[in-house]
């Protein structure tokens, strides 16, 4: 058993599936000292899992708060304000905060007015029996005059893709038997799938996450079937049309003044198939790197999916950057995967303060005095940031340099002293 645990002590254990009845049976076997081979395997897995958790705790890779967050989800990281904890309750009342009046619900209840339906078809409806200059049927004293149109909204259902069949008139000569067919209207377009249909399929799948097969089922139920394979071809045409735009946006992002990026897991079916044939030493991870670049007043969003991490993708982007350009400010967390070491001379790294604060918040119960000190100092910087909102970027930077720089320098010196003196 020790050999098995040593071999797997650094590997994350697999999930153990066991029912309550099976668990009661296992307990009975342990008490009777009559474990079956299957029960022995479960006990070994439990012990390996226990050893793995201990190893993680010892190496500080997994704190109790992180473990709780894995099981029960994360809660707010805001510090509780308790300015009057030393003051006794007034007038014999408890110190609990009294609830104020319930805020009334805002009007509208989620409904949108007709003015918000910008793409709606506007249909003018004239009065069926009356017109301007007619005598008023109510008072019979004066004539009616135009007063505009009142708007009433109606929402109709239709298939996302609507098929149209153009029935072209055909004529034939009774002598030479020559056919003459009416031409297609210009709005029909040259292809079977109109460019608007291609754009709609791409938007539904990649913009709002509607799978091709689900749209196929919907279209079939509504009498306008479009196979999922056809939808992919339609989307590919949209992608090919947008390729020059993406290339130009990538060029702008490479020369931007600011870049922010991070990774998020993204399963890719083709890469998952490749993983079956890869060795343990080869990279098997899959992720999407989200890159937000600020170029002047423009904000450019790029998404790159594959095996590369954000640092590698941002490195490919910086290959297009003019070395003579000013250094780009890069914003990310401190993960090693977010660094492009080949181009560090072209960038100014701005690491995420939220991630750093979160680590102190997780250790607050273990080291309350030191962690609370860091959180309070960072709270002053957050306060300055809230006060600086609405300012131009340069003015906001100058405001922080004036009000937050001293706080950060003082906090940095305090941390260095703690590290040096192991205090």
């Amino acid at each position: 058993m020790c050999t098995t645990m040593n071999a797997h002590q650094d590997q994350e254990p697999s999930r153990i599936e066991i029912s309550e009845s099976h668990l009661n049976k296992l307990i009975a076997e342990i008490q009777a000292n009559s474990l079956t081979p299957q029960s022995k395997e479960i006990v070994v897995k439990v012990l390996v899992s226990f050893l793995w958790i201990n190893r993680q705790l010892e190496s500080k890779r997994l704190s109790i708060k992180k473990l709780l967050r894995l099981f029960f989800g994360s809660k707010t990281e805001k510090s509780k304000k308790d300015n009057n904890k030393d003051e006794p309750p007034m007038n014999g009342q408890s110190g609990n905060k009294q609830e104020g009046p319930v805020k009334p619900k805002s009007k509208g209840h989620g409904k949108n007015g007709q003015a918000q339906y910008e793409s709606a078809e506007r249909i003018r409806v004239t009065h069926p029996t009356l017109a301007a200059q007619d005598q008023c049927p109510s008072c019979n004293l004066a004539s009616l005059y135009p007063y505009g149109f009142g708007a009433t909204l109606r929402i109709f259902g239709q298939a996302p893709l609507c098929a149209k069949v153009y029935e072209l008139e055909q004529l034939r000569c009774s002598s030479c038997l020559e056919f003459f067919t009416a031409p297609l209207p210009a709005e029909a377009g040259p292809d079977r799938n109109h460019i608007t249909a291609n754009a709609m399929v791409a938007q539904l799948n990649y913009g709002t996450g509607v799978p091709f097969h689900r749209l196929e089922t919907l279209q079939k139920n509504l009498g306008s079937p479009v196979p999922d394979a056809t939808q992919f071809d339609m989307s590919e045409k949209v992608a090919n049309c947008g390729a020059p735009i993406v290339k130009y946006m990538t060029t702008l992002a490479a020369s931007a003044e600011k870049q922010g990026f991070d990774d998020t897991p993204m399963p890719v079916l083709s890469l998952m198939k490749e993983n079956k044939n890869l060795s343990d030493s080869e990279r098997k991870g899959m992720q999407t790197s989200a890159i937000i670049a600020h170029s002047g007043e423009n904000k450019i969003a790029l998404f790159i999916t594959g095996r590369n991490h954000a640092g590698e993708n941002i490195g490919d982007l910086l290959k297009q950057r003019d070395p003579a350009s000013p250094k780009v400010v890069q914003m990310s967390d401190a993960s090693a995967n977010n660094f492009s070491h080949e181009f560090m001379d072209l960038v100014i790294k701005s690491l995420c303060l939220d991630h750093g604060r979160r680590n102190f918040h997780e250790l607050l119960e273990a080291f309350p005095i030191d962690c609370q000190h860091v959180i309070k100092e960072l709270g002053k910087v957050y306060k300055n940031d809230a006060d600086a909102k609405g300012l131009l970027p340069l003015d906001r930077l100058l405001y922080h340099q004036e009000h937050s720089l001293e706080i950060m320098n003082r906090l940095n010196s305090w941390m260095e002293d703690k590290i040096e003196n192991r205090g």
Side-chain angles (χ1 to χ4, degrees):
M1 185 181 297
C2 292
T3 304
T4 304
M5 288 192 286
N6 289 333
H8 299 283
Q9 63 186 13
D10 291 328
Q11 297 181 8
E12 184 174 348
S14 58
R15 182 179 177 88
I16 302 174
E17 299 286 351
I18 184 170
S19 63
E20 184 175 355
S21 59
H22 193 177
L23 180 61
N24 293 332
K25 180 181 178 182
L26 177 61
I27 295 173
E29 289 178 4
I30 294 174
Q31 292 173 339
N33 197 20
S34 59
L35 288 174
T36 63
Q38 293 83 0
S39 297
K40 289 180 180 179
E41 183 181 355
I42 294 176
V43 172
V44 169
K45 287 184 177 180
V46 171
L47 293 175
V48 169
S49 301
F50 176 77
L51 179 61
W52 178 82
I53 291 175
N54 276 311
R55 293 285 185 182
Q56 298 298 309
L57 290 172
E58 289 173 3
S59 61
K60 298 182 180 179
R61 284 182 289 181
L62 186 66
S63 67
I64 292 296
K65 292 185 73 67
K66 285 185 179 179
L67 191 62
L68 291 173
R69 191 169 71 245
L70 289 175
F71 282 103
F72 304 109
S74 60
K75 298 182 179 180
T76 178
E77 295 177 5
K78 291 185 177 180
S79 299
K80 295 181 179 179
K81 294 184 178 180
D82 194 9
N83 298 328
N84 301 320
K85 66 177 182 178
D86 295 330
E87 297 180 7
M90 298 181 65
N91 300 329
Q93 297 178 353
S94 64
N96 296 332
K97 182 179 178 181
Q98 296 183 356
E99 296 184 358
V102 178
K103 184 178 179 181
K105 290 185 178 181
S106 58
K107 296 181 179 180
H109 304 288
K111 296 181 180 179
N112 296 317
Q114 57 87 18
Q116 294 179 266
Y117 292 81
E118 298 177 358
S119 63
E121 181 183 1
R122 303 282 170 169
I123 302 173
R124 290 289 178 91
V125 181
T126 58
H127 200 284
T129 59
L130 298 175
Q133 306 303 323
D134 287 354
Q135 189 178 27
C136 174
S138 179
C139 66
N140 294 321
L141 298 177
S143 58
L144 304 176
Y145 63 91
Y147 195 70
F149 290 83
T152 301
L153 177 67
R154 292 291 184 271
I155 300 177
F156 298 86
Q158 65 179 38
L161 304 175
C162 300
K164 293 183 180 181
V165 178
Y166 292 89
E167 297 180 344
L168 308 178
E169 184 182 15
Q170 292 183 326
L171 303 173
R172 193 177 190 184
C173 175
S174 58
S175 175
C176 66
L177 304 182
E178 180 73 20
F179 274 104
F180 299 91
T181 303
L184 271 171
E187 62 268 16
D191 301 322
R192 178 185 180 91
N193 298 315
H194 197 266
I195 56 174
T196 56
N198 296 341
M200 177 59 73
V201 168
Q203 170 64 25
L204 286 173
N205 186 263
Y206 299 102
T208 57
V210 179
F212 289 142
H213 65 86
R214 189 169 298 171
L215 180 58
E216 176 184 8
T217 302
L218 175 62
Q219 288 293 136
K220 183 178 180 180
N221 292 339
L222 296 177
S224 299
V226 182
D228 56 357
T230 302
Q231 295 175 46
F232 181 84
D233 295 336
M234 297 165 69
S235 299
E236 188 176 29
K237 290 182 178 180
V238 177
N240 293 337
C241 291
I245 300 174
V246 174
K247 184 177 180 180
Y248 180 67
M249 291 176 64
T250 302
T251 303
L252 291 178
S255 58
E257 298 88 21
K258 293 187 294 184
Q259 297 169 345
F261 46 88
D262 203 358
D263 284 332
T264 185
M266 176 59 67
V268 181
L269 293 179
S270 59
L271 297 182
M272 293 169 69
K273 292 179 181 178
E274 288 181 6
N275 287 351
K276 298 178 181 179
N277 301 320
L278 296 179
S279 64
D280 293 338
S281 60
E282 294 181 281
R283 183 183 292 184
K284 297 181 181 180
M286 297 161 281
Q287 53 270 328
T288 292
S289 297
I291 303 174
I292 304 295
H294 295 260
S295 179
E297 297 182 355
N298 300 317
K299 184 182 292 185
I300 303 164
L302 300 177
F303 299 92
I304 306 171
T305 301
R307 298 199 187 276
N308 285 349
H309 292 288
E312 296 166 322
N313 289 323
I314 206 71
D316 292 337
L317 191 66
L318 291 177
K319 291 178 181 178
Q320 306 178 41
R321 188 177 182 86
D322 184 0
S325 300
K327 290 187 177 183
V328 55
V329 178
Q330 289 188 345
M331 295 163 285
S332 68
D333 59 45
S335 170
N337 294 330
N338 289 334
F339 285 78
S340 177
H341 301 282
E342 184 180 353
F343 298 96
M344 291 303 292
D345 57 330
L346 299 181
V347 306
I348 299 174
K349 265 294 186 183
S350 300
L351 301 181
C352 179
L353 199 60
D354 283 344
H355 282 77
R357 181 187 182 279
R358 183 171 301 138
N359 290 327
F360 286 98
H361 190 275
E362 291 172 351
L363 298 172
L364 186 59
E365 294 180 3
F367 306 96
I369 298 177
D370 290 341
C371 290
Q372 191 64 43
H373 172 71
V374 174
I375 292 173
K376 284 184 177 180
E377 290 298 294
L378 292 180
K380 299 174 183 178
V381 178
Y382 279 76
K383 172 65 167 56
N384 292 338
D385 191 61
D387 294 339
K389 282 188 176 179
L391 298 178
L392 295 175
L394 180 58
D395 294 334
R396 188 177 175 204
L397 172 62
L398 294 175
Y399 186 88
H400 272 295
Q401 289 176 342
E402 180 182 354
H403 296 87
S404 303
L405 183 59
E406 182 181 353
I407 300 172
M408 297 300 294
N409 287 338
R410 185 171 62 245
L411 188 58
N412 182 66
S413 300
W414 179 84
M415 291 182 178
E416 289 181 346
D417 179 69
K418 287 285 183 180
I419 295 173
E420 183 177 354
N421 299 316
R422 299 185 179 276

